[in-house]
Short mmCIF file of all heavy atoms in Angstrom, two decimals:
data_model
loop_
_atom_site.label_atom_id
_atom_site.label_comp_id
_atom_site.label_asym_id
_atom_site.label_seq_id
_atom_site.Cartn_x
_atom_site.Cartn_y
_atom_site.Cartn_z
N TYR N 112 -10.38 -15.18 -24.37
CA TYR N 112 -11.61 -15.95 -24.49
C TYR N 112 -12.57 -15.45 -25.66
O TYR N 112 -13.64 -16.07 -25.76
CB TYR N 112 -12.46 -15.95 -23.17
CG TYR N 112 -11.59 -16.35 -22.02
CD1 TYR N 112 -11.51 -15.54 -20.85
CD2 TYR N 112 -10.86 -17.56 -22.06
CE1 TYR N 112 -10.88 -15.91 -19.75
CE2 TYR N 112 -10.14 -17.99 -20.95
CZ TYR N 112 -10.05 -17.10 -19.86
OH TYR N 112 -9.36 -17.49 -18.71
N ALA N 113 -12.22 -14.44 -26.46
CA ALA N 113 -13.10 -13.99 -27.49
C ALA N 113 -12.30 -13.92 -28.80
O ALA N 113 -11.05 -13.96 -28.82
CB ALA N 113 -13.68 -12.68 -27.08
N ARG N 114 -13.05 -13.88 -29.82
CA ARG N 114 -12.56 -13.61 -31.18
C ARG N 114 -13.53 -13.09 -32.12
O ARG N 114 -14.80 -13.03 -31.67
CB ARG N 114 -11.94 -14.83 -31.82
CG ARG N 114 -12.98 -15.91 -32.27
CD ARG N 114 -12.22 -16.86 -33.22
NE ARG N 114 -12.97 -18.02 -33.57
CZ ARG N 114 -13.84 -18.13 -34.63
NH1 ARG N 114 -14.14 -17.15 -35.37
NH2 ARG N 114 -14.41 -19.34 -34.84
N SER N 115 -13.17 -12.60 -33.26
CA SER N 115 -14.27 -12.09 -34.25
C SER N 115 -14.99 -13.27 -34.79
O SER N 115 -14.48 -14.30 -35.15
CB SER N 115 -13.48 -11.37 -35.47
OG SER N 115 -14.49 -11.12 -36.41
N TRP N 116 -16.32 -13.05 -34.92
CA TRP N 116 -17.19 -13.98 -35.65
C TRP N 116 -17.77 -13.50 -36.98
O TRP N 116 -18.84 -13.87 -37.33
CB TRP N 116 -18.23 -14.51 -34.71
CG TRP N 116 -17.74 -15.20 -33.54
CD1 TRP N 116 -17.45 -14.69 -32.23
CD2 TRP N 116 -17.41 -16.64 -33.43
NE1 TRP N 116 -17.06 -15.68 -31.42
CE2 TRP N 116 -16.93 -16.85 -32.09
CE3 TRP N 116 -17.44 -17.68 -34.37
CZ2 TRP N 116 -16.50 -18.11 -31.64
CZ3 TRP N 116 -17.02 -18.97 -33.85
CH2 TRP N 116 -16.57 -19.19 -32.47
N GLY N 117 -17.08 -12.44 -37.53
CA GLY N 117 -17.61 -11.81 -38.75
C GLY N 117 -18.64 -10.81 -38.45
O GLY N 117 -18.81 -10.30 -37.34
N PRO N 118 -19.44 -10.41 -39.46
CA PRO N 118 -20.54 -9.33 -39.25
C PRO N 118 -21.53 -9.80 -38.11
O PRO N 118 -21.72 -10.92 -37.87
CB PRO N 118 -21.24 -9.28 -40.56
CG PRO N 118 -20.37 -10.06 -41.56
CD PRO N 118 -19.54 -11.04 -40.83
N GLY N 119 -22.10 -8.77 -37.49
CA GLY N 119 -23.03 -8.98 -36.42
C GLY N 119 -22.48 -8.48 -35.20
O GLY N 119 -21.52 -7.78 -35.18
N PRO N 120 -23.21 -8.71 -34.02
CA PRO N 120 -22.89 -8.14 -32.75
C PRO N 120 -21.46 -8.66 -32.32
O PRO N 120 -21.13 -9.84 -32.63
CB PRO N 120 -23.97 -8.70 -31.78
CG PRO N 120 -24.48 -9.88 -32.44
CD PRO N 120 -24.45 -9.61 -33.98
N ILE N 121 -20.65 -7.77 -31.70
CA ILE N 121 -19.41 -8.15 -31.26
C ILE N 121 -19.61 -8.93 -30.02
O ILE N 121 -20.13 -8.51 -28.97
CB ILE N 121 -18.50 -6.95 -30.99
CG1 ILE N 121 -18.24 -6.21 -32.29
CG2 ILE N 121 -17.20 -7.38 -30.35
CD1 ILE N 121 -17.61 -4.80 -32.13
N LYS N 122 -19.20 -10.19 -30.06
CA LYS N 122 -19.27 -11.09 -28.89
C LYS N 122 -18.00 -11.05 -28.09
O LYS N 122 -17.00 -11.64 -28.61
CB LYS N 122 -19.68 -12.49 -29.26
CG LYS N 122 -21.05 -12.57 -30.06
CD LYS N 122 -21.37 -13.93 -30.52
CE LYS N 122 -22.72 -13.90 -31.28
NZ LYS N 122 -23.05 -15.24 -31.92
N ASN N 123 -17.99 -10.41 -26.93
CA ASN N 123 -16.62 -10.28 -26.27
C ASN N 123 -16.72 -10.45 -24.78
O ASN N 123 -15.95 -9.90 -23.96
CB ASN N 123 -16.20 -8.73 -26.54
CG ASN N 123 -17.38 -7.74 -26.30
OD1 ASN N 123 -18.31 -8.02 -25.58
ND2 ASN N 123 -17.02 -6.58 -26.72
N VAL N 124 -17.53 -11.51 -24.39
CA VAL N 124 -17.41 -12.22 -23.13
C VAL N 124 -17.87 -11.37 -21.89
O VAL N 124 -18.53 -11.82 -21.01
CB VAL N 124 -16.08 -12.82 -22.83
CG1 VAL N 124 -16.06 -13.56 -21.51
CG2 VAL N 124 -15.71 -13.76 -23.93
N VAL N 125 -17.41 -10.09 -21.79
CA VAL N 125 -17.59 -9.29 -20.67
C VAL N 125 -18.03 -7.84 -20.97
O VAL N 125 -17.62 -7.27 -21.97
CB VAL N 125 -16.42 -9.18 -19.59
CG1 VAL N 125 -16.34 -10.48 -18.84
CG2 VAL N 125 -15.18 -8.85 -20.29
N HIS N 126 -18.80 -7.22 -20.02
CA HIS N 126 -18.96 -5.77 -20.01
C HIS N 126 -18.42 -5.31 -18.63
O HIS N 126 -18.49 -5.97 -17.56
CB HIS N 126 -20.53 -5.47 -20.03
CG HIS N 126 -20.79 -4.07 -19.58
ND1 HIS N 126 -20.68 -3.02 -20.44
CD2 HIS N 126 -21.15 -3.60 -18.37
CE1 HIS N 126 -21.00 -1.88 -19.74
NE2 HIS N 126 -21.23 -2.26 -18.47
N SER N 127 -17.84 -4.09 -18.62
CA SER N 127 -17.66 -3.39 -17.41
C SER N 127 -17.92 -1.85 -17.47
O SER N 127 -17.67 -1.30 -18.51
CB SER N 127 -16.33 -3.73 -16.76
OG SER N 127 -15.25 -3.00 -17.48
N SER N 128 -18.37 -1.22 -16.41
CA SER N 128 -18.72 0.11 -16.39
C SER N 128 -17.48 0.91 -16.85
O SER N 128 -16.32 0.63 -16.45
CB SER N 128 -19.13 0.60 -15.05
OG SER N 128 -20.09 -0.29 -14.42
N ASP N 129 -17.69 2.07 -17.51
CA ASP N 129 -16.57 2.97 -18.03
C ASP N 129 -16.39 4.14 -17.14
O ASP N 129 -15.42 4.91 -17.53
CB ASP N 129 -16.81 3.27 -19.50
CG ASP N 129 -17.98 4.02 -19.73
OD1 ASP N 129 -18.73 4.56 -18.75
OD2 ASP N 129 -18.27 4.36 -20.99
N SER N 130 -17.26 4.39 -16.14
CA SER N 130 -17.04 5.52 -15.27
C SER N 130 -17.88 5.26 -14.01
O SER N 130 -18.63 4.39 -13.89
CB SER N 130 -17.54 6.76 -15.91
OG SER N 130 -18.95 6.71 -16.09
#
Side-chain angles (χ1 to χ4, degrees):
Y112 305 128
R114 70 162 169 93
S115 169
W116 296 95
I121 297 170
K122 299 176 180 175
N123 52 14
V124 180
V125 283
H126 162 85
S127 71
S128 311
D129 63 5
S130 67

